[in-house]
């Protein structure tokens, strides 16, 4: 039942200006519950309940049952209010019998409830809502339907009330909707994907929805899944083998009842947590993943599976019009990138893809043996694969904005399509037959958002004649054909139609506009049975099933142990031995796992059971021990609180923990007091433990400080009376330490680590505000001469000095920054937080046996503790600042500092700049990176000279060097020898290369073109830019030969590279082997683009996205 106010769940009261009757069904239906355009109506009817005795109604009344849409309903009325005495409440209630047989039973209804005058039906108030009625939410409506005081009053200027002579009418307008997906208006609380759909989703690691959508698509491409299972992985480790990790994800998707994690898979890719929080392009991820798997499939039963499933052939051609000459090249494709802009349908995009360009006029084609000729240039498909991955180009470069933008134009795609018109006539087409290129839609990968981010999900049809499902990370739901097609065409309503929309409709339209298909998966009809053939248990590797079954069994055992652990809690017992061994504040170190003795305590055991167990643990009689609770005081110190009395022997330990423990700690900390011998009580009897409350005695703890040994130790405990003098305990203290009975002592109270106060020995304990559990620290009272001698030896002569030391004491772990240098070790050194930079360096230098000035420190960055920023030497810099420098985001720091051994003094080093520069050899593949220590004021000439001492130039080369900077794969600047090194930013990658001889020897009319690498879109740059000479009349195929030699790429990898000419006006022209660059009207800022996947894993992208790599 809804108990919320109408403001939370209903529309406002409808004004009654037009005076329509509640019986005007057509008008009321259209006005109050207009049909929702995207939903299919099951029924729309009305019901009226005449109430003739309003004042005699019970507090809760149900009206007569009525049926609409095949479901039984009734009106639920609270005449005097429902938890609200000022308003009457009215609800629509499902009257369907709930036998508990179908937990998923529901009905979705849009409804209006009206109260009207029985004689004047135009006088009414109404409220509207829509709701998913379920067994747990069987009624829905309005707790504040109408104020009680207004029911008998005139509703408006006509002077007519809603209740007249104790009579009124309540009308229900109900529109019932079909729910083909089963999730209409679902709140998804406790939603079970497996139970509702038979499928499970994939967990999102942060920004891996793009990966999840593709993995689900590949999973339901059953032929591909079987091929992945055919890769031998019995001896692999999941975190290091992409094939095994993917097998595990696929097996779990098929067998798990819960959503499946992908952390193991991304670890096998070589990704860290940062990559999991970076969104990438689906197409790029698909290419990189398939390229990796294709290599794993070689020499196995799965070899050739990816080629068979996804690879087709296309022919690029130039055919002369007036002479019999054609130049063509056939190449493989794994997916097809289709234009969205300017294309209304998928068929339009295919037509655009094979559109023919005429080369004439000044753009004639240089045909070998025929001179310049008019020609037609284009591409045509020679064969299409069984599974088509169609990438819709939703992201494009906008020349006017000089930026990438998302294309949200409407683009329609069909359930079925015949692509025969786009396949070249020939042997392949004849072999395929008339139905050989008919395809059926199998999947739609959707992107909702803009260029800067968004969300991916997949709509898939796992079975040929089955239903569509929406796979949205860990949630799987049924989907309608309208959701698959219409809702992902994009576009939304035209701007001129927005004026007539409500705010909610505008928001929905905005969502639809930015939600559209990004990748389409079509399966060829004559291959569908093979592609979607269900897998059998025999198709799954036996070792995979066994591994996961074993892991599930281990998880069950852990779950059982976890459930059993709820029956227990942990306790820690501190004894006098722990106190005596403790050299620090408090009674013990609460952060030390070795302090005290741990016990696992059963919650339902009695305190008597617990005491027996503790007595056995310490081998003492129960009557000789007393257990005190330890609590954290407001000043963050831990002290004894109360002894647990014998009267609580039969309380359970759970009750003891609640009664004496604190909510801030999950375990129970106790102090065990063990008495040596009984003492006389005031009543003449002997007792082991004086009663604090009755005798005036209370227990305090005593510590002794030895300045010569610079050691603090626990002495034990004493019972004292609050009115006795502090001086009364001096003889006992001397006796405990074996000093002469009259040895002068100095006493301090340990209030907290930073507050150590001297005590007045002539005052009473009460006057000194000493209470039970307090700690008194004493030392011998030194003469001024003794104090001076100790201080000259840098010995902490007084107790406050020692406490200041231990309050700032810290153990710092010094780790070598270069963890691959086996000659360097890690050292744990005790220091003070107030130690200066030089003091810290001196302490570490003693371990390393080097000059302290030959050490450089680097701070550890949270949360992973990896080295980040170098710590600049300063004589005033303290250790606590070195551990938590301001540039580490003030996060909780670790006590780790990284160090490096220097060949020169840190003073000299900090007057210089460490420059990382990469030298490029004869091919760009031959690279070596060097760190050069240069004066901050020097120029690039000094950098080059320093580099030449570390590299060897090619004796047959030009002997001339070029220095340039690259940022995110883009050439930023070429430097002259006189340019200062300060002109290059740390974020730039700096390169030095020997200028190729052909560039030096280039003729004046041979332009030099800059070349760059990219993947998919020209904004997705990677790699190292380079330059190439444009030779007169040289065809692209020969230019490619020179470029491959320059790059040092293998023939196989280079064959996948596509070339485009990027004009300075933003136009991009694909290049074919027969094209001639020198015949093109080149501008100074034109460049040559190489489209291929970045396999280097080089992190040269500092923006929101970087190149995808998979290493496992």
């Amino acid at each position: 039942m809804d108990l919320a106010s109408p403001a939370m769940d209903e529309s406002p009261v409808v004004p009654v200006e037009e005076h329509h009757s509640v019986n005007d069904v057509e008008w009321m239906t259209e006005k109050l519950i207009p049909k929702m355009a995207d939903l299919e109506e099951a029924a729309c009817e009305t019901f009226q309940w005449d109430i003739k005795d309003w004042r005699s109604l019970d507090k809760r009344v149900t009206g007569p049952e009525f049926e609409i849409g095949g479901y039984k309903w009734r009106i639920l009325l609270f005449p005097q209010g429902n938890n609200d005495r000022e308003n009457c409440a009215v609800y629509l209630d499902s009257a369907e019998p709930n036998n508990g047989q179908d937990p998923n039973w529901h009905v979705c209804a849009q409804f209006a409830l009206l109260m009207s005058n029985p004689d004047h039906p135009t006088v009414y108030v109404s409220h509207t809502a829509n709701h998913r009625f379920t067994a747990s939410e069987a009624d829905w409506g309005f707790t504040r339907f109408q104020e009680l005081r207004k029911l008998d009053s005139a509703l408006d200027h006509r002077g007519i009330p809603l209740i007249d002579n104790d009579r009124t009418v309540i009308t229900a307008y109900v529109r019932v909707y079909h729910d083909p997906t089963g999730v209409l208006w679902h709140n998804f609380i406790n939603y079970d994907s497996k139970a509702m759909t038979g499928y499970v989703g994939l967990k999102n690691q942060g920004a891996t929805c793009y990966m999840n959508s593709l993995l689900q698509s590949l999973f339901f491409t059953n032929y591909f899944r079987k091929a992945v299972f055919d890769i031998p992985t019995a001896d692999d480790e999941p975190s290091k083998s992409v094939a095994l990790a993917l097998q595990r994800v696929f097996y779990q998707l098929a067998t798990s009842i819960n959503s499946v994690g992908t952390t193991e898979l991304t670890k096998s890719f070589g990704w860290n947590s940062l990559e999991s929080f970076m969104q990438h392009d689906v197409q790029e991820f698909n290419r990189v993943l398939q390229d990796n798997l294709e290599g794993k499939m070689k020499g196995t039963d799965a070899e050739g599976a990816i080629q068979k499933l996804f690879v087709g052939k296309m022919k690029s051609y130039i055919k002369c019009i007036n002479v019999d000459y054609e130049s063509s090249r056939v190449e493989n494709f794994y997916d097809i990138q289709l234009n969205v802009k300017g294309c209304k349908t998928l068929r339009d995009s295919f037509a655009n893809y094979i559109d023919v360009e005429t080369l004439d006029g000044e753009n004639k084609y240089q045909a070998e043996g025929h001179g310049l000729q008019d020609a037609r240039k284009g591409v045509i498909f020679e064969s299409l694969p069984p599974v088509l991955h169609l990438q819709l180009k939703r992201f494009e470069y906008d020349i006017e904005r000089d930026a990438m933008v998302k294309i949200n134009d409407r683009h329609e795609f069909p359930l079925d399509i015949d692509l025969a018109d786009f396949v070249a006539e020939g042997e392949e087409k004849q072999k395929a037959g008339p139905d050989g290129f008919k395809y059926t839609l199998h999947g739609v990968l959707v992107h909702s958002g803009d260029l800067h981010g968004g969300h991916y999900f997949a709509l898939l049809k796992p079975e040929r004649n089955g239903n569509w499902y929406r796979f949205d990370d860990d949630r799987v739901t049924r989907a309608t054909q309208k959701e698959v097609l219409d809702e992902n065409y994009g576009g939304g309503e035209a701007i001129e139609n927005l004026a007539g929309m409500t705010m909610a409709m505008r928001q929905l339209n905005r969502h639809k506009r930015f939600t559209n298909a990004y990748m389409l998966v079509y399966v060829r009809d004559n291959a569908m049975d093979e592609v979607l053939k269900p897998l059998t248990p025999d198709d799954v590797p036996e070792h995979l099933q066994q591994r996961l079954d074993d892991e599930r069994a281990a998880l069950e055992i852990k779950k059982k142990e976890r459930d059993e652990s709820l029956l227990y809690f942990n306790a820690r017992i501190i004894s006098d031995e722990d106190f005596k061994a403790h050299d620090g504040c408090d009674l013990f170190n609460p952060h030390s796992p070795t302090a005290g003795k741990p016990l696992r305590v059963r919650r339902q055991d009695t305190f008597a059971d617990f005491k027996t167990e503790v007595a056995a643990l310490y081998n003492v009689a129960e009557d000789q021990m007393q257990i005190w609770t330890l609590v954290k005081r407001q000043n963050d110190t831990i002290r004894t609180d109360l002894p647990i009395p014998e009267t609580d022997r039969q309380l359970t330990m759970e009750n003891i923990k609640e009664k004496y423990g604190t909510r801030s700690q999950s375990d129970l900390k106790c102090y065990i007091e063990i008495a040596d011998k009984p003492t006389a009580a005031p009543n003449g009897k002997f007792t082991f433990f004086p009663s604090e409350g009755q005798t005036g005695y209370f227990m305090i703890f005593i510590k002794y400080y030895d300045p010569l040994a610079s050691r603090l130790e626990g002495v034990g405990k004493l019972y004292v009376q609050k009115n006795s003098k502090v001086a009364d305990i001096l003889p006992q203290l001397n006796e405990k330490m074996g000093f002469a009975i009259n040895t002068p002592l100095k006493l301090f109270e340990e209030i907290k680590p930073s507050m150590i106060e001297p005590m007045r020995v002539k005052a009473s304990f009460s006057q000194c505000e000493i209470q039970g559990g307090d700690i008194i620290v004493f030392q011998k009272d030194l003469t001024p001469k003794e104090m001076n001698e100790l201080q000259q030896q840098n010995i902490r002569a007084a107790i406050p000095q020692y406490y200041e030391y231990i309050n700032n004491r810290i153990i710092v772990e010094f780790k070598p920054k270069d963890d691959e240098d086996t000659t360097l070790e890690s050292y744990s050194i005790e220091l003070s937080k107030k130690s200066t930079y030089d003091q810290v360096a001196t302490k570490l230098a003693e371990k390393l046996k080097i000059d302290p000035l030959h050490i450089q420190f680097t701070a550890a960055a949270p949360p992973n503790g990896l080295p980040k920023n170098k710590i600049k030497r300063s004589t005033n810099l303290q250790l606590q600042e070195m551990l938590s420098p301001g540039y580490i985001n003030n996060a909780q720091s670790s006590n780790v500092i990284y160090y490096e051994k220097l060949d020169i003094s840190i003073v000299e080093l900090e007057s210089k700049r460490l420059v990382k520069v990469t030298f490029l050899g004869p091919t760009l593949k031959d690279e070596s990176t060097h760190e050069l220590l240069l004066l901050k004021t020097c120029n690039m000439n000094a950098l080059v000279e320093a580099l030449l001492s570390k590299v060897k130039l090619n004796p047959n080369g030009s002997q001339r060097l070029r220095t340039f900077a690259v940022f995110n794969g883009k050439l930023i600047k070429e430097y002259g020898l006189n340019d200062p090194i300060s002109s290059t930013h740390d974020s730039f990658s700096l390169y030095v290369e020997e200028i190729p001889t052909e560039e030096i020897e280039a003729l004046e009319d041979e332009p030099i073109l800059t070349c760059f690498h990219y993947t998919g879109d020209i904004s997705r740059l990677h790699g190292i830019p380079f330059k190439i000479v444009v030779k007169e009349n040289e065809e692209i195929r020969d230019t490619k030969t020179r470029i491959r030699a320059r790059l040092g790429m293998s023939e196989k990898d280079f064959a996948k590279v596509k070339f485009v000419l990027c004009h300075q006006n933003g136009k991009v022209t694909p290049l074919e082997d027969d094209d001639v660059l020198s015949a093109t009207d080149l501008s100074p800022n034109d460049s040559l683009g190489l489209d291929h996947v970045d396999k280097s894993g080089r992190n040269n992208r500092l923006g929101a996205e970087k190149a995808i790599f998979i290493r496992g």
Side-chain angles (χ1 to χ4, degrees):
M1 179 183 298
D2 168 51
L3 300 179
S5 66
M8 298 292 289
D9 57 12
E10 62 170 282
S11 60
V13 176
V14 176
V16 199
E17 292 300 323
E18 299 181 29
H19 306 317
H20 285 274
S21 168
V22 295
N23 300 317
D24 186 346
V25 175
E26 183 177 349
W27 190 90
M28 288 290 171
T29 302
E30 181 63 29
K31 184 68 176 176
L32 300 180
I33 53 169
K35 186 177 181 304
M36 296 183 179
D38 294 338
L39 302 180
E40 182 184 352
E41 179 187 299
C44 184
E45 298 180 36
T46 184
F47 170 80
Q48 284 191 336
W49 177 19
D50 294 325
I51 300 174
K52 298 184 168 128
D53 50 355
W54 178 269
R55 285 181 175 79
S56 62
L57 293 175
D58 292 336
K59 291 183 178 180
R60 183 183 189 277
V61 188
T62 54
E65 287 188 5
F66 57 95
E67 187 172 313
I68 296 178
Y71 296 93
K72 294 178 180 178
W73 307 90
R74 61 192 170 202
I75 294 169
L76 179 59
L77 172 65
F78 291 81
Q80 300 169 39
N82 181 20
N83 293 330
D84 182 348
R85 295 181 179 180
E86 296 182 358
N87 296 272
C88 69
V90 186
Y91 306 90
L92 180 64
D93 183 26
S94 169
E96 290 291 314
N98 179 21
N99 301 324
Q101 294 179 350
D102 183 6
N104 297 317
W105 176 89
H106 68 280
V107 56
C108 297
Q110 178 188 13
F111 64 93
L113 297 175
L114 304 87
M115 179 182 286
S116 61
N117 184 284
D119 301 317
H120 301 277
T122 61
V123 178
Y124 68 89
V125 293
S126 68
H127 298 289
T128 62
N130 52 269
H131 181 59
R132 179 186 181 92
F133 291 85
T134 64
S136 60
E137 288 187 342
D139 56 72
W140 198 257
F142 314 100
T143 301
R144 295 192 298 188
F145 186 86
Q146 182 71 352
E147 289 185 67
L148 295 175
R149 64 183 179 84
K150 293 182 179 180
L151 292 176
D152 297 313
S153 305
L155 186 66
D156 55 31
H157 63 279
R158 289 175 291 174
I160 302 170
L162 293 174
I163 297 179
D164 196 358
N165 294 324
D166 224 18
R167 296 182 304 129
T168 191
V169 176
I170 297 180
T171 305
Y173 278 84
V174 182
R175 193 188 296 272
V176 177
Y177 288 102
H178 289 298
D179 182 16
T181 65
V183 293
L184 179 62
W185 303 331
H186 202 303
N187 60 18
F188 291 104
I189 296 173
N190 298 322
Y191 179 77
D192 187 336
S193 294
K194 188 76 169 184
M196 295 295 291
T197 66
Y199 303 109
V200 297
L202 291 165
K203 296 174 184 175
N204 192 328
Q205 293 186 47
T208 54
C209 52
Y210 72 95
M211 179 180 74
N212 290 349
S213 60
L214 179 68
L215 290 177
Q216 290 281 18
S217 173
L218 294 175
F219 171 78
F220 287 112
T221 308
N222 295 347
Y223 190 94
F224 176 83
R225 193 195 330 166
K226 183 180 183 305
V228 170
F229 282 148
D230 285 341
I231 302 174
T233 57
D235 299 324
D236 292 0
E237 290 183 37
S239 60
K240 297 180 180 178
S241 166
V242 172
L244 178 57
L246 188 58
Q247 286 176 353
R248 289 166 66 89
V249 168
F250 281 176
Y251 181 72
Q252 288 173 308
L253 282 174
T255 60
S256 177
I257 61 173
N258 299 312
S259 55
V260 176
T262 56
T263 306
E264 198 173 65
L265 179 64
T266 53
K267 280 184 180 178
S268 74
F269 293 167
W271 296 0
N272 57 29
S273 57
L274 178 62
E275 270 87 15
S276 299
F277 278 88
M278 297 182 70
Q279 202 166 81
H280 292 289
D281 177 68
V282 170
Q283 178 196 11
E284 184 184 3
F285 174 69
N286 191 24
R287 283 185 180 181
V288 174
L289 178 63
Q290 292 201 20
D291 190 59
N292 182 282
L293 291 173
E294 205 169 1
K296 301 286 193 303
M297 291 178 178
K298 283 186 178 179
T300 74
D301 293 343
E303 185 171 2
I306 289 178
Q307 292 269 337
K308 179 179 177 179
L309 268 184
F310 303 114
V311 174
K313 294 182 184 296
M314 70 170 68
K315 181 176 77 170
S316 305
Y317 65 88
I318 301 177
K319 185 176 178 62
C320 293
I321 297 173
N322 302 314
V323 297
D324 185 17
Y325 181 86
E326 177 179 335
S327 172
S328 64
R329 180 187 64 183
V330 176
E331 59 183 351
N332 292 341
F333 67 86
Y334 288 77
D335 51 45
I336 305 171
Q337 294 186 58
L338 298 173
N339 284 327
V340 170
K341 197 167 185 63
C343 301
K344 293 184 177 180
T345 67
L346 186 64
R347 183 165 284 277
D348 291 344
S349 295
F350 268 101
N352 173 266
Y353 195 87
I354 66 165
D355 196 22
V356 177
E357 178 188 358
T358 300
L359 306 177
D360 56 10
E362 294 183 357
N363 198 28
K364 286 187 177 184
Y365 173 62
Q366 180 73 40
E368 188 176 349
H370 298 279
L372 293 172
Q373 294 288 329
D374 293 342
R376 294 188 179 91
K377 178 181 179 181
V379 297
I380 191 77
F381 296 102
E382 290 212 330
S383 68
L384 296 174
V387 179
L388 265 180
H389 281 173
L390 306 179
Q391 306 289 339
L392 303 182
K393 293 170 72 174
R394 288 282 181 188
F395 298 96
E396 287 191 354
Y397 180 76
D398 188 305
I399 300 174
E400 293 181 2
R401 300 184 194 179
D402 189 25
M404 294 295 292
V405 296
K406 185 180 179 186
I407 308 298
N408 289 302
D409 298 355
R410 183 177 177 85
H411 183 267
E412 298 180 10
F413 50 91
L415 284 175
D416 305 291
I417 190 168
D418 188 346
L419 298 175
D421 293 345
F422 310 106
V423 180
E425 298 295 335
E427 185 180 342
E428 289 280 351
K429 191 169 185 178
Q430 289 180 351
K431 191 190 301 181
D435 298 328
F437 298 101
K438 290 183 177 179
Y439 285 82
T440 298
L441 186 65
H442 174 67
V444 181
L445 274 62
V446 181
H447 179 262
S448 179
D450 57 19
L451 177 72
H452 305 291
H455 181 62
Y456 288 91
F457 60 89
L459 294 155
L460 300 167
K461 189 179 181 183
E463 299 175 356
R464 182 170 195 153
N465 298 313
N467 297 311
W468 283 94
Y469 294 90
R470 173 176 170 140
F471 294 83
D472 192 347
D473 287 334
D474 57 356
R475 183 186 298 162
V476 185
T477 57
R478 277 274 304 276
T480 63
Q481 186 171 302
K482 179 179 173 57
E483 287 179 76
V484 174
L485 300 177
D486 297 28
E487 293 187 7
N488 294 302
Y489 289 156
E493 289 290 337
I495 295 176
E496 56 268 22
N497 296 337
L498 297 180
M501 291 184 175
T502 64
M503 183 61 69
M505 292 172 68
R506 288 186 184 187
Q507 289 177 345
L508 181 62
N509 180 72
R510 176 179 172 81
H511 175 74
K512 285 185 175 181
R513 175 166 177 77
F514 293 103
T515 301
N516 34 56
Y518 179 74
M519 174 177 164
L520 304 175
V521 182
Y522 280 88
V523 179
R524 200 169 62 212
D525 290 356
N526 60 15
M528 192 172 293
D529 290 340
E530 183 181 12
V531 172
L532 302 185
K533 182 182 177 181
L535 274 68
T536 66
D538 292 338
D539 293 323
V540 181
E542 187 176 343
H543 75 86
L544 182 65
Q545 298 182 47
Q546 188 61 50
R547 275 195 198 194
L548 288 166
D549 288 347
D550 291 346
E551 288 173 13
R552 285 172 183 165
L555 283 175
E556 282 299 317
I557 292 172
K558 280 188 178 179
K559 182 177 180 298
K560 186 178 178 182
E561 291 175 349
R562 190 166 58 249
D563 292 341
E564 288 180 352
S565 70
L566 298 176
L567 303 174
Y568 296 84
F569 66 81
N570 294 323
R572 185 170 293 278
I573 314 299
I574 306 301
S575 68
D576 286 338
E577 294 302 317
D578 301 304
F579 174 59
K580 290 176 181 178
H582 178 50
D583 176 22
C585 300
D586 282 332
L587 304 177
F588 69 105
N589 182 359
H591 305 295
S592 170
T594 60
K597 293 186 178 180
L599 273 181
R600 190 168 169 79
V601 182
R602 192 171 179 274
R603 293 178 183 272
Q604 295 308 310
D605 281 352
T606 64
F607 176 60
D609 298 329
F610 176 70
K611 193 170 182 181
T612 300
E613 188 174 358
V614 173
L617 186 65
Y618 285 91
N619 194 28
V620 295
E622 287 189 42
D623 61 349
Q624 280 186 251
M625 56 172 262
Q626 184 169 233
I627 296 177
W628 295 69
T629 55
L630 292 169
V631 296
K632 181 181 281 191
R633 292 182 177 177
Q634 288 185 346
N635 62 6
D636 278 343
T637 59
I638 295 178
R639 300 289 190 266
T640 54
D641 185 28
L642 293 170
I644 303 175
E646 286 298 300
T647 53
D648 288 343
R649 284 181 63 82
Q650 296 310 312
L651 285 183
T652 65
M653 285 305 294
E654 185 162 22
N655 292 335
I656 291 289
K657 185 173 180 292
E658 290 174 0
K659 186 175 181 179
Y660 297 103
T662 58
R663 292 183 179 180
S664 61
Q665 56 190 41
S666 58
D667 58 353
L668 180 67
K669 293 183 174 67
C670 302
Y671 166 72
I672 176 174
E673 179 188 1
I674 302 173
D676 297 328
K677 57 185 179 180
T679 58
N683 59 9
K685 296 182 180 180
F686 283 89
T687 177
F688 281 106
F689 307 104
S691 173
E692 287 198 353
Q694 297 174 1
T695 65
Y697 281 90
F698 57 84
M699 183 176 66
I700 61 173
F701 291 88
I702 305 297
K703 292 181 181 179
Y704 170 69
Y705 175 60
D706 181 355
L708 292 175
S710 191
R711 186 178 73 248
L712 185 70
E713 62 180 276
V715 175
K717 60 187 179 298
L718 287 177
Y719 274 90
V720 298
Q721 283 190 312
K722 62 181 180 180
N723 294 323
S724 61
K725 302 293 185 186
V726 174
D728 293 346
I729 67 170
L730 296 180
Q732 296 179 64
L733 299 183
N734 280 321
E735 182 183 353
K736 282 181 177 289
M737 298 307 301
F739 299 157
I741 200 71
N742 293 321
T743 301
L745 301 176
K746 203 163 188 177
L747 276 62
F748 294 82
E749 182 190 357
E750 180 192 303
I751 300 173
K752 61 180 181 179
S754 59
M755 189 180 291
I756 312 299
E757 298 290 341
M759 294 185 68
R760 293 169 292 138
V761 295
K762 293 181 179 179
S764 68
F765 287 101
S766 177
Q767 290 170 330
C768 291
E769 299 182 354
I770 299 296
Q771 61 183 6
D774 283 352
I775 299 174
I776 293 176
V777 192
F778 73 97
Q779 70 175 100
K780 287 183 178 180
D781 191 4
L782 303 177
T783 64
K785 181 181 178 183
E786 290 172 326
M787 290 281 287
N788 187 47
E789 288 176 351
L790 291 175
Q791 287 172 354
Q792 286 180 352
Q793 299 174 53
N794 288 324
I795 293 174
R796 301 169 188 92
I799 287 172
Q801 292 175 334
Y802 185 75
Y803 268 89
E804 182 184 7
Y805 162 69
I806 61 175
N807 191 34
N808 291 297
R809 180 173 56 188
I810 187 172
I811 305 296
V812 180
E813 186 176 4
F814 293 90
K815 294 182 177 180
K817 187 176 179 182
D818 182 3
D819 56 5
E820 294 182 1
D821 188 344
T822 56
T823 63
L824 299 179
E825 299 179 19
S826 293
Y827 299 96
S828 293
I829 302 177
E830 183 180 297
L831 296 162
S832 168
K833 292 177 186 175
K834 295 187 176 181
S835 298
T836 64
Y837 182 102
D838 287 346
Q839 288 172 335
V840 172
T842 299
K843 282 288 186 181
L844 179 60
E846 291 173 2
K847 300 283 187 181
L848 296 172
K849 295 181 173 55
I850 61 172
D851 186 335
L853 291 177
H854 282 232
I855 297 174
Q856 184 174 45
F857 295 119
T858 300
N864 53 22
L866 296 175
K868 190 174 183 181
N869 298 84
K870 286 183 167 58
I871 301 172
K872 190 175 181 180
R873 177 179 176 268
S874 169
T875 54
N876 296 323
L877 187 66
Q878 293 186 339
L879 176 59
Q880 57 191 355
E881 298 170 295
M882 296 169 67
L883 290 169
S884 301
Y887 43 76
I888 305 286
N889 301 326
N890 292 323
Q892 183 177 3
S893 61
S894 61
N895 297 336
V896 174
I897 293 178
Y898 292 89
Y899 73 90
E900 298 170 82
K901 290 171 65 174
L902 302 176
D903 295 328
I904 60 173
S905 163
I906 185 72
V907 178
E908 181 184 354
L909 174 68
E910 291 184 348
S911 67
K912 296 183 177 182
R913 178 180 174 184
L914 190 66
V915 180
K916 185 180 287 188
V917 60
T918 300
F919 179 73
L920 303 175
T923 73
L924 297 186
K925 196 174 181 181
D926 302 320
E927 61 177 74
S928 58
T929 300
H930 306 272
E931 291 185 340
L932 306 177
L933 195 61
L934 306 169
L935 285 171
K936 292 178 179 179
T937 55
C938 76
N939 57 20
M940 289 295 172
N941 185 54
L943 181 147
V944 171
E945 288 181 359
L947 180 65
L948 287 174
S949 67
K950 296 176 178 290
V951 299
K952 289 184 179 180
L953 298 182
N954 182 357
N956 300 318
S958 67
Q959 307 293 305
R960 289 171 58 181
L961 300 180
R962 171 165 51 217
T963 305
F964 60 97
V966 175
F967 180 75
N968 282 2
K970 182 179 181 180
L971 178 64
I972 300 298
K973 182 180 180 180
E974 287 188 27
Y975 296 99
L977 292 176
N978 292 323
D979 286 334
I981 63 168
S982 59
S983 62
T984 177
H985 195 273
D986 285 339
S987 62
F988 294 168
S989 298
L990 202 59
Y991 294 92
V992 173
E993 67 173 348
E994 186 174 6
I995 301 174
T997 306
E998 70 168 27
E999 192 175 327
I1000 300 293
E1001 298 173 350
L1003 303 176
E1004 286 188 12
D1005 58 351
E1006 289 182 332
I1008 297 173
L1009 205 59
T1010 298
C1011 305
F1012 65 92
H1013 308 266
Y1014 72 99
T1015 302
D1017 293 311
I1018 58 172
S1019 65
R1020 302 171 60 82
L1021 305 180
H1022 63 84
I1024 307 169
F1026 61 98
K1027 298 194 174 188
I1028 194 79
V1029 176
V1030 179
K1031 300 285 188 180
E1032 183 70 23
N1033 297 325
E1034 181 183 65
E1035 293 183 343
I1036 284 292
R1037 61 168 54 89
D1038 297 323
T1039 306
K1040 285 183 178 180
T1041 301
R1042 290 192 293 122
I1043 289 176
R1044 188 171 84 81
R1046 182 82 174 95
L1047 296 177
M1049 287 179 72
S1050 67
E1051 280 191 44
K1052 177 189 172 184
D1053 288 339
F1054 193 75
K1056 298 177 182 177
V1057 180
K1058 297 178 182 178
F1059 287 77
V1060 296
L1061 182 61
C1062 297
H1063 304 275
Q1064 65 179 8
N1065 62 4
K1067 182 181 177 183
V1068 177
T1069 305
L1071 296 173
E1072 306 299 337
D1073 281 355
D1074 292 333
D1075 288 338
V1076 176
L1077 275 177
S1078 62
T1080 308
D1081 185 15
L1082 294 174
S1083 299
N1085 292 325
D1086 289 352
S1087 55
L1088 190 65
L1090 283 68
D1091 181 7
H1092 61 101
V1093 172
D1094 179 15
K1095 293 187 176 182
S1096 69
R1098 186 194 308 275
N1099 185 2
N1100 62 356
R1101 298 181 183 212
L1102 301 179
E1105 185 178 332
K1106 68 175 189 177
I1108 296 179
F1109 63 89
I1110 294 179
R1111 295 196 178 102

